[in-house]
Amino acid sequence: MRFLLRLTSLVALAVAVIAGTVDSIQSVAASSVVITPMGDAWQDMSASSFEALQSTIAYYIHPRFYTIAFQWLMMQPAFAVFLVLSLLFWMAGYKKQPMAGRFAA
């Protein structure tokens, strides 16, 4: 399980780096700061899954949660969302080193 969490963290970190790179390229091309929101990036990649998630959250979970939390999350920069996800998965898969050390008796 720890391996899967670390692998998911690595994938999320790679996506965050790619999203940040795309934003920086667009910023240089536009000569102004361009930050892609998570919702726009998700709609560009897969509009059908984005709409399916929206309807699922609005139907099965309280609609107020959709308006407050989900829309707030979709307005955040895509690279930041994936960086936070990467950190959370890494923390969940982290193994603490023993206090006595590696070669203690």
Side-chain angles (χ1 to χ4, degrees), residues 43 49-59 66 70-71 74:
Q43 282 183 339
S49 68
F50 182 73
E51 292 171 4
L53 182 67
Q54 280 182 330
S55 63
T56 302
I57 289 176
Y59 183 75
Y66 169 75
F70 186 72
Q71 287 184 349
M74 291 299 119

Side-chain angles (χ1 to χ4, degrees), residues 12-34:
L13 181 62
V15 171
V17 168
I18 290 170
T21 304
V22 168
D23 284 349
S24 64
I25 291 170
Q26 289 177 350
S27 294
V28 169
S31 296
S32 65
V33 177
V34 175

Side-chain angles (χ1 to χ4, degrees), residues 6 8 11 17-18 22-23 33-34 45 50 52 54 59 67 70 72 78 83 85 87 89 98 103:
R6 287 186 194 171
T8 306
V11 169
V17 168
I18 290 170
V22 168
D23 284 349
V33 177
V34 175
M45 295 303 290
F50 182 73
Q54 280 182 330
Y59 183 75
T67 58
F70 186 72
W72 177 83
L83 279 176
L85 283 176
L87 176 66
F89 283 125
F103 300 107

Side-chain angles (χ1 to χ4, degrees), residues 5-6 8-9 84-95:
L5 289 169
R6 287 186 194 171
T8 306
S9 172
V84 169
L85 283 176
S86 176
L87 176 66
L88 292 175
F89 283 125
W90 178 79
M91 288 170 44
Y94 182 74
K95 181 180 179 184

